[in-house]
Amino acid sequence: MSDPILPRIRPEIAALPPYRQGKQAGADAFKLSSNENPFDPLPQVAEALAAATPVNRYPDATAGALRERLGERHGVGPDAVHVASGSVSILYQFVSAAATVGDEVIYAWRSFEAYPGLPLVSGATGVPVPLASGARHDLDVMAAAVTDRTRVIIVCTPNNPTGPVVTSAEFAAFLAKVPQDVLVLLDEAYAEFVTAPDAVDGLAERVYEDHPNVVVLRTFSKAYGLAGLRVGYAIGNPRVLDAARTTAIPLSVTSAAERAAIVSLDAEDELRARVDVIVERRAVLVDGLRAQGWDVPDAQGNFVWLPTGADTMSVAAVFDEAGLIVRPFDGDGIRISVGEHESVEKVLRAAESVVRTLHR
């Protein structure tokens, strides 16, 4: 029997590998591959999810109640807030709205694994800019890469998967070099874990006021522990946000996700206390790994980065055998999420056995 004739797909899409989620963990392993919050949902969040949700009715397409709350929290009107099913959805919406065939989208590399696919899906061309020393964004080179075809620049801080932040001074100097008609997406998915005093904070500094071309992205997936519900948000100039609202898939934020996000905002003090615990565990991991000889970059997210290079896959296999599911990026390094308390010592033991082999 001959093979069926299939629909024609754009060659660049056919060649693009689907987004690869972190490997799932078995019952006896620690899943440290997806930067998830290791804590169970807060009781009040669980109660809100258990309450009657009208699943036979569509959710509010605008997530109006959540936008009101976020606007109050950040001192902007609800029209300056856009909510979607995760901040990655907002990235797709903006790139689709701003860039097409012949246009360019600049991003640092290595950075968030979804970035290379964003311009390809919209028909644009991606322009990856290598990280500088210390696995940090090279904003000078990124600014120099801007051409008359540049439509979007993505800045990820703290950078996923390597960990360092962009400072306020660096970001200000960068914006002074970027044309005002180029959209800058400041992806701050891990902002709540940052302890560096000089790190840029797009919301606290309200960078979108002096620079309407800047949109700040945040998520409830990480610090708030709602990864399974998919809800993120952006704050910026309302007219700019309209572009994302126009390209968004309608009704993609569920009523349950909106309700859980609002309850999480009410319980922010409790969630911040959990973030503090994760930051403490991160410090133990970083100190322990560096003491073993690992060259760990500044870790400001809820993860650490091991620059294992060509040995990445073999090193990841050692962690796997130890019951630790980590995220390898072949040829570059391994990202290890900060997980349960019991996982920290196991990570350090496995890492110590490997670093000795690498040194030899």
Side-chain angles (χ1 to χ4, degrees):
M1 182 176 178
S2 61
D3 292 335
I5 297 176
L6 301 177
R8 285 177 289 182
I9 303 296
R10 288 164 47 199
E12 63 271 26
I13 297 299
L16 179 67
Y19 176 77
R20 183 172 60 87
Q21 185 182 19
K23 181 180 176 181
Q24 301 299 307
D28 298 327
F30 290 102
K31 185 186 177 190
L32 309 177
S33 56
S34 296
N35 292 348
E36 296 157 328
N37 193 311
F39 292 101
D40 292 332
L42 289 171
Q44 52 268 53
V45 173
E47 291 171 8
L49 293 174
T53 298
V55 295
N56 60 316
R57 304 293 185 185
Y58 286 116
D60 175 2
T62 68
L66 179 55
R67 288 170 55 230
E68 286 276 0
R69 285 296 310 277
L70 288 169
E72 293 170 2
R73 184 181 186 280
H74 296 293
V76 298
D79 59 342
V81 183
H82 173 53
V83 174
S85 55
S87 56
V88 67
S89 294
I90 302 175
L91 289 167
Y92 272 98
Q93 292 162 10
F94 272 117
V95 173
S96 296
T100 186
V101 177
D103 298 331
E104 295 177 344
V105 176
I106 297 174
Y107 53 88
W109 196 252
R110 174 170 293 273
S111 194
F112 181 33
E113 195 174 4
Y115 290 165
L118 299 174
L120 282 175
V121 170
S122 71
T125 300
V127 181
V129 174
L131 296 174
S133 175
R136 304 178 73 251
H137 275 51
D138 196 332
L139 292 182
D140 288 337
V141 175
M142 292 177 72
V146 173
T147 70
D148 58 0
R149 292 179 295 177
T150 304
R151 296 294 178 269
V152 183
I153 305 174
I154 305 173
V155 177
C156 183
T157 178
N159 187 49
N160 171 27
T162 61
V165 296
V166 169
T167 69
S168 294
E170 289 170 339
F171 193 62
F174 171 72
L175 290 179
K177 301 174 185 176
V178 174
Q180 294 180 1
D181 60 354
V182 173
L183 177 62
V184 178
L185 301 176
L186 185 60
D187 189 351
E188 296 185 328
Y190 300 91
E192 291 83 2
F193 300 99
V194 172
T195 56
D198 58 348
V200 66
D201 184 327
L203 296 186
E205 297 172 33
R206 306 175 73 89
V207 294
Y208 46 83
E209 291 185 343
D210 291 334
H211 302 277
N213 60 321
V214 177
V215 175
V216 182
L217 277 60
R218 294 285 180 94
T219 183
F220 284 90
S221 295
K222 311 303 180 183
Y224 290 88
L226 303 182
L229 291 174
R230 310 306 302 127
V231 56
Y233 64 98
I235 292 184
N237 183 286
R239 291 174 59 189
V240 177
L241 295 187
D242 283 344
R245 290 189 262 261
T246 300
T247 55
I249 297 174
L251 305 163
S252 59
V253 178
T254 67
S255 299
E258 183 180 14
R259 178 180 298 183
I262 291 172
V263 173
S264 295
L265 289 173
D266 290 337
E268 191 160 18
D269 289 345
E270 294 172 72
L271 290 168
R272 289 283 182 176
R274 291 181 167 192
V275 167
D276 290 343
V277 172
I278 293 172
V279 169
E280 290 172 3
R281 292 177 189 169
R282 181 185 73 193
V284 173
L285 276 173
V286 170
D287 291 345
L289 291 167
R290 287 177 176 168
Q292 294 171 3
W294 289 99
D295 184 16
V296 180
D298 186 26
Q300 292 291 322
N302 64 337
F303 52 87
V304 297
W305 174 253
L306 301 183
T308 45
D311 296 309
T312 293
M313 301 314 291
S314 60
V315 172
V318 173
F319 283 102
D320 200 348
E321 292 169 3
L324 301 163
I325 309 303
V326 297
R327 187 67 175 270
F329 296 89
D330 196 3
D332 284 339
I334 294 173
R335 188 191 68 197
I336 305 175
S337 305
V338 179
E340 293 82 354
H341 170 74
E342 297 80 6
S343 71
V344 174
E345 188 57 38
K346 290 192 68 172
V347 168
L348 291 175
R349 284 201 302 268
E352 186 173 25
S353 69
V354 174
V355 75
R356 292 171 181 168
T357 302
L358 290 180
H359 284 174
R360 284 201 298 270

